[in-house]
């Protein structure tokens, strides 16, 4: 039985709690949060505390708090030499205080408060200062996911950038596309099948092998027509900048 | 029984052929192409021709040829007053010769040569000069799809722009993300669950309600860290431009 303590009460804490609670090989000893009222997801099945001095003896302490809190919180832990992991994609391992054995247990997914997460397919990226700790965390990860990886801090930083691309940037493009559709009294839902096919094709092929469209073709006539039709300067800007990136990538002259 | 003639032998012609061939209420009288050898998808079950003068009498002629060919091909048709449709998202209806009754039958999807398309969920956008023709094409569309719409040329032009966003631009972001992952010996597949969740969330919510990330938060420290980590100028550029678009959209100062 692996004994863990969760620290934090946000989305990731909640989803990790639910995933570990469902594993018969994991015992969640405690959930800590500064504010007890926010720990509603334990449904009284696990002891909760708002005092670091009350923390139980566990095999690993998972810090699920905000990126900015990790340094201070890890320094305030009232013990030394134990295994402490943060769960953040954006922070290096060494943001943690070195008085404990530092590590990272990063589930590579974006979590909604109200949608249950199926951890079996979520990649879990594991890193630790000591090889034995890395192996231990890998065993723990394998209990809840079938998609686990040893990933070091420099790789994780790179993942975090790529995640900004495929999550934040892609969602922003959906957002502008939705605005563009609304201008002519249409809804983004008309494009859902195309959005699904685009993702499916990108996963079944290398994205660079399936790029299409006016920018890829260097079809400046269509590009100019689109720029003329776009109403908002912000849309013209996004269209022009991404078109230029694609034109350049495929060796055409930029606009 | 609706009698149709398909003109063209590209991806869309092939996929429309297969969809109509599967409908008991449609008879494909002929497939025309300049080059007979390219019409391999009929498997000898439908007459083929390379002579416009041989075209049979049909209820509708579906021009599935390239955008640039539509004007000339429609002018060369050896008859008048019949219903002629193009299937292009990027062209206005009036690109067709007015000697026949002009219309559009646009399946809003991107087609792969070798992957069968399930038309039932593909939006089909119908337009015609005459209301009766529009209704006829809608009936035809309803035979192969459960997602049919009357869409005029100005709306279709707008759809085409939004399609560039959600297909070409999104795929290009996947492409850069893949390059960024490869720089640290990782694969884009690590991000597939995040890519899927991103799309799923955008379809279950309004994209503007679920935007997250450093640009949305105005977190310039993380943004600067990412820009410093990016190796290639082209990646720095894309990251910076989309970040600026999001910063501006949410009222933060641009970089």
């Amino acid at each position: 039985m692996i004994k863990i303590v969760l620290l934090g009460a946000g989305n990731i804490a909640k989803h990790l709690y639910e995933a570990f609670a469902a594993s018969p090989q994991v015992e969640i000893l405690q959930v800590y949060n500064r504010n007890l009222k926010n720990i509603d997801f334990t449904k009284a099945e696990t002891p909760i505390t708002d005092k670091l001095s009350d923390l139980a003896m566990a095999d690993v302490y998972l810090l699920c708090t905000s990126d900015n809190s990790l340094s201070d919180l890890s320094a305030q832990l009232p013990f030394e030499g134990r295994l402490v992991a943060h769960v953040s994609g954006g922070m290096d391992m060494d943001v943690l205080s070195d008085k404990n054995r530092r590590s990272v247990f990063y589930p590579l997914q974006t979590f909604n408060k109200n949608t249950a997460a199926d951890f079996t397919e979520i990649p879990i990226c594991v890193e630790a200062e000591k090889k034995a700790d890395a192996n231990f965390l890998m065993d723990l990860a394998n209990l809840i996911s079938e998609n686990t990886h040893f990933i070091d801090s420099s790789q994780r930083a790179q993942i975090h950038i790529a995640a900004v691309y495929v999550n934040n940037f892609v969602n922003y493009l959906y957002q502008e596309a939705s605005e563009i559709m609304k201008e002519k009294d249409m809804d983004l839902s008309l494009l859902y099948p195309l959005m699904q096919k685009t993702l499916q094709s990108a996963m079944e092929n290398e994205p660079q092998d399936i790029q299409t469209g006016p920018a890829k073709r260097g079809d400046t006539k269509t590009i100019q027509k689109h720029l003329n039709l776009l109403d908002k300067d912000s849309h013209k800007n996004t269209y022009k900048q991404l078109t230029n990136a694609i034109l350049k990538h495929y060796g055409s002259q930029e606009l």
Side-chain angles (χ1 to χ4, degrees), chain A:
Chain A
M1 191 72 106
I2 297 179
K3 294 184 165 71
I4 69 174
V5 167
L6 288 175
L7 296 93
N11 272 341
I12 299 189
K14 173 181 188 289
H15 288 290
L16 279 176
Y17 178 86
E18 286 164 1
F20 285 128
S23 168
Q25 285 145 290
V26 177
E27 185 182 358
I28 308 170
L29 297 182
Q30 267 178 335
V31 178
Y32 160 90
N33 197 52
R34 257 189 326 199
N35 185 339
L36 286 183
K37 276 188 295 187
N38 294 343
I39 317 177
D40 48 0
F41 49 80
T42 60
K43 295 168 193 152
E45 287 169 5
T46 301
I48 61 177
T49 179
D50 57 1
K51 291 185 188 63
L52 290 174
S53 56
D54 281 351
L55 288 182
M57 181 71 164
D59 296 314
V60 60
Y61 298 80
L62 289 164
L63 273 50
C64 309
T65 54
S66 69
D67 284 2
N68 293 331
S69 71
L70 292 173
S71 176
D72 284 352
L73 179 61
S74 64
Q76 289 162 17
L77 293 173
F79 46 73
E80 290 179 13
R82 301 190 195 171
L83 183 58
V84 172
H86 76 62
V87 301
S88 165
M91 302 301 277
D92 284 349
M93 181 166 67
D94 63 13
V95 71
L96 297 173
S97 158
D98 63 1
K99 70 180 184 180
N100 283 293
R101 283 143 46 214
R102 298 183 284 195
S103 64
V104 179
F105 188 93
Y106 167 47
L108 202 183
Q109 185 55 288
T110 176
F111 296 99
N112 300 124
K113 193 115 203 168
N114 298 317
T115 317
D118 174 11
F119 265 82
T120 54
E121 296 195 352
I122 294 177
I124 296 186
C125 304
V126 160
E127 178 182 16
E129 287 180 297
K130 293 179 196 300
K131 192 157 171 35
D133 289 334
N135 289 334
F136 168 79
L137 287 177
M138 181 55 80
D139 290 343
L140 180 63
N142 285 331
L143 294 177
I144 57 171
S145 169
E146 294 166 3
N147 191 353
T148 57
H149 306 264
F150 290 112
I151 294 287
D152 67 30
S153 284
S154 94
Q155 287 177 310
R156 202 172 52 255
Q158 200 84 351
I159 290 173
H160 200 238
I161 300 176
V164 165
Y165 270 75
V166 306
N167 178 265
N168 307 156
F169 290 170
V170 164
N171 187 68
Y172 185 70
L173 292 182
Y174 292 154
Q175 191 172 327
E176 286 205 5
S178 173
E179 292 165 5
I180 289 166
M181 294 293 279
K182 285 198 169 74
E183 280 176 11
K184 295 279 181 186
D185 302 316
M186 298 181 294
D187 196 85
L188 186 66
S189 58
L190 200 56
L191 295 169
Y192 287 175
L194 179 61
M195 289 154 66
Q196 290 170 310
K197 184 70 183 299
T198 301
L199 173 58
Q200 186 195 330
S201 298
M203 295 193 301
E204 289 170 359
N205 305 272
E206 290 285 323
Q208 56 263 36
D209 295 339
I210 52 166
Q211 185 68 43
T212 60
K216 162 76 188 294
R217 293 195 303 274
D219 175 357
T220 46
K221 204 174 132 191
T222 298
I223 292 166
Q224 207 49 63
K225 180 182 159 191
H226 287 174
L227 285 172
N228 292 339
L229 283 172
L230 285 168
D231 238 14
K232 281 191 174 177
D233 283 344
S234 56
H235 296 162
K236 278 186 207 290
N237 238 331
T238 303
Y239 187 98
K240 193 171 170 180
Q241 287 166 340
L242 279 162
T243 292
N244 270 335
I246 300 172
L247 286 169
K248 193 173 179 187
H249 187 94
Y250 289 97
S252 296
Q253 204 185 339
E254 295 175 67
L255 299 176

